[in-house]
Amino acid sequence: MGQLSLLNGNQVKTPMALLKIARMGHPVLRQRAAPVDDPTEESVRRLAVHMVETMDDAQGIGLAAPQVHVGRRLIVFEVPSDRLEEGEPPGPAGVTILVNPEFEPVGDAIALGIEGCLSIPDIRGVVPRHQTIIYRGVTPAGDRVEREATGLHARVVQHEIDHLDGILFPDRMTDLTTLCFESEIRHLLADAEESADD
Ligand code: NI
């Protein structure tokens, strides 16, 4: 008899699979990820589930497969309502899993916002992104997704798709003086408030 027999059957849970997150400097973060031939393949669904668990554990709002050392075009993200700017429309409910995602900008508006990345721990910076986009992809269930996104929702999607092309958020920054440690971010926020008052 193994130890498991001591547990009530329905209490035995599959252990969470936390994946190791690649950090800036690892070459996998700089490579272009390959398209997934069959989004409905079981291995894709399993990887996505583990990525969501890893993202939640690390308290991130998005994760791309290259960040867990897998060079495939797969992203997971969620748009928490408590992180939205005032008046910003809510994102989709729950976690979105997208295979082979793509986006295009809607209009010319560029928004500045503070970003971080699980591959660049404790660092933040102000990054310009398209304010509004349309993005497309396929879920592991084989459903096609096409959504318009604005604000934080659009920002997360652009950040994650960048990962699939080997691009990290500092590459997108136009003002490197805003690159800072999270523990110093109050200074950045104070500056942003001041300039908003101008
Ligand atoms: Ni990132």
Side-chain angles (χ1 to χ4, degrees):
M1 297 283 269
Q3 265 187 323
L4 281 180
S5 62
L6 297 172
L7 298 172
N8 182 331
N10 59 20
Q11 287 180 337
V12 178
K13 286 178 65 183
T14 310
M16 276 219 302
L18 297 180
L19 306 170
K20 186 176 179 193
I21 298 177
R23 302 206 301 176
M24 184 167 63
H26 194 293
V28 73
L29 294 173
R30 292 308 193 175
Q31 288 153 11
R32 192 177 153 79
V36 175
D37 290 338
D38 178 6
T40 63
E41 204 182 286
E42 170 60 15
S43 63
V44 173
R45 192 197 61 80
R46 207 177 315 131
L47 173 62
V49 167
H50 294 164
M51 283 172 59
V52 171
E53 289 173 349
T54 303
M55 173 179 76
D56 286 345
D57 179 72
Q59 297 182 299
I61 64 172
L63 193 65
Q67 291 183 276
V68 293
H69 306 84
V70 178
R72 295 285 149 182
R73 303 188 80 81
L74 168 64
I75 63 173
V76 303
F77 63 90
E78 56 193 319
V79 187
S81 50
D82 60 358
R83 291 216 211 169
L84 296 176
E85 303 267 331
E86 214 182 305
E88 214 177 292
V95 174
T96 297
I97 299 170
L98 276 190
V99 182
N100 300 333
E102 296 173 343
F103 80 91
E104 60 197 58
V106 176
D108 297 330
I110 300 291
L112 295 176
I114 296 173
E115 294 188 19
C117 180
L118 294 176
S119 294
I120 315 175
D122 303 326
I123 299 288
R124 299 288 184 273
V126 173
V127 184
R129 298 283 185 189
H130 299 289
Q131 169 72 26
T132 305
I133 61 170
I134 288 180
Y135 66 92
R136 300 179 183 85
V138 184
T139 71
D143 298 322
R144 290 193 171 279
V145 171
E146 178 175 318
R147 293 179 187 147
E148 187 170 300
T150 193
L152 180 63
H153 182 192
R155 179 172 298 278
V156 173
V157 171
Q158 290 171 82
H159 177 119
E160 298 313 325
I161 292 178
D162 263 357
H163 274 300
L164 305 181
D165 295 323
I167 297 167
L168 301 176
F169 81 79
D171 307 342
R172 295 287 189 197
M173 292 177 64
T174 49
D175 181 358
L176 284 173
T177 67
T178 67
L179 195 64
C180 71
F181 284 98
E182 190 183 11
S183 55
E184 304 292 346
I185 202 150
R186 62 188 183 282
H187 303 297
L188 199 57
L189 295 171
D191 280 356
E193 231 152 70
E194 246 166 54
S195 55
D197 289 343
D198 287 349

